[in-house]
């Protein structure tokens, strides 16, 4: 898959609300492959479609242990389509985040410690699960991107 250029904060695409995916076809699979390759090349643990100039409600999250989150789980990349956050814990946790669209900067961001989410996979099948900790953090960060929200609007 080819590497896609990553939109930087200030580009309008990052301020738009993403549009619902209706066609679970080969094109969607190809976009997900290109996003995954672009995320890996940028050393990311997540990437949202608007960051590669696609307006679709789709992101990838891929936790791995790292210097900031040494106990983060090592998880195969998950493709998340048309996500919803159904419930969120009142408990908030502060943590460091980066953003591929704001290169070289780190922000301290508060996130819900636990969230209950629903989303479709690449085959259009609905998944429902509870996420906690670093994976919940990544999901919330990518979910923000689909609402046109970046770290700059959230940092403490
Ligand atoms: O811009 C993105 O969506 C990718 C972003 C996702 C993310 C990082 C940290 C917390 C929540 C969501 C990145 O992967 S930036 C890369 C990076 O700075 C980083 C990587 C691993 C741990 C912490 C930061
Ligand atoms: Zn980001």
């Amino acid at each position: 898959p080819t590497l896609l250029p990553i939109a930087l904060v200030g580009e309008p695409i990052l301020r738009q609300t993403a549009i619902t995916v209706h066609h679970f076809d080969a094109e969607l699979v190809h976009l997900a492959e290109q996003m995954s390759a672009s995320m890996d090349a940028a050393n990311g643990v997540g990437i949202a479609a608007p960051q590669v100039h696609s307006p679709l409600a789709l992101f990838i999250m891929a936790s791995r242990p790292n210097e900031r989150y040494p106990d983060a789980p090592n998880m195969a990349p998950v493709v998340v389509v048309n996500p919803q956050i159904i419930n969120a814990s009142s408990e908030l946790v502060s943590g460091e985040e980066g953003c591929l669209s704001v290169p070289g900067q780190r922000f301290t961001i508060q996130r819900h410690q636990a969230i209950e989410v629903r989303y479709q996979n690449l085959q259009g099948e609905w998944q429902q699960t509870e996420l906690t900790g670093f994976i919940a953090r990544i999901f919330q960060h990518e979910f923000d991107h689909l609402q046109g929200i970046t770290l700059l609007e959230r940092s403490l």
Side-chain angles (χ1 to χ4, degrees):
T2 48
L3 300 186
L4 301 172
I6 292 186
L8 299 179
V9 75
E11 291 188 54
I13 185 85
L14 291 176
R15 311 264 320 138
Q16 291 167 8
T17 298
I19 54 179
T20 302
V21 172
H22 294 289
H23 303 293
F24 292 82
D25 53 19
E27 257 186 63
L28 193 71
V29 172
H30 187 230
L31 174 60
E33 286 166 348
Q34 292 184 307
M35 286 170 63
S36 199
S38 306
M39 176 185 72
D40 291 346
N43 250 335
V45 291
I47 193 166
Q51 292 183 282
V52 292
H53 298 91
S54 161
L56 296 180
L58 157 73
F59 63 74
I60 295 179
M61 54 182 191
S63 165
R64 56 169 152 75
N66 56 84
E67 68 288 344
R68 271 171 188 68
Y69 300 86
D71 53 358
N74 223 328
M75 142 194 146
V78 175
V79 180
V80 174
V81 186
N82 300 331
Q84 304 161 0
I85 296 182
I86 303 171
N87 273 310
S89 64
S90 48
E91 186 191 357
L92 300 175
V93 283
S94 277
E96 281 235 324
E97 297 185 15
C99 184
L100 299 179
S101 299
V102 192
Q105 294 191 48
R106 285 269 184 276
F107 301 83
T108 301
I109 304 288
Q110 277 196 323
R111 298 290 185 182
H112 297 286
Q113 162 60 15
I115 51 175
E116 186 165 5
V117 302
R118 219 165 89 85
Y119 61 89
Q120 288 173 278
N121 62 17
L122 272 177
Q123 289 71 40
E125 296 152 349
W126 283 101
Q127 321 287 313
Q128 180 155 338
T129 183
E130 183 180 9
L131 303 175
T132 62
F134 187 52
I135 298 184
R137 178 175 294 276
I138 298 172
F139 192 103
Q140 292 169 79
H141 178 115
E142 305 310 332
F143 187 79
D144 273 355
H145 274 308
L146 302 186
Q147 320 307 315
I149 298 167
T150 65
L151 290 185
L152 299 178
E153 284 92 35
R154 281 203 185 277
S155 59
L156 296 176

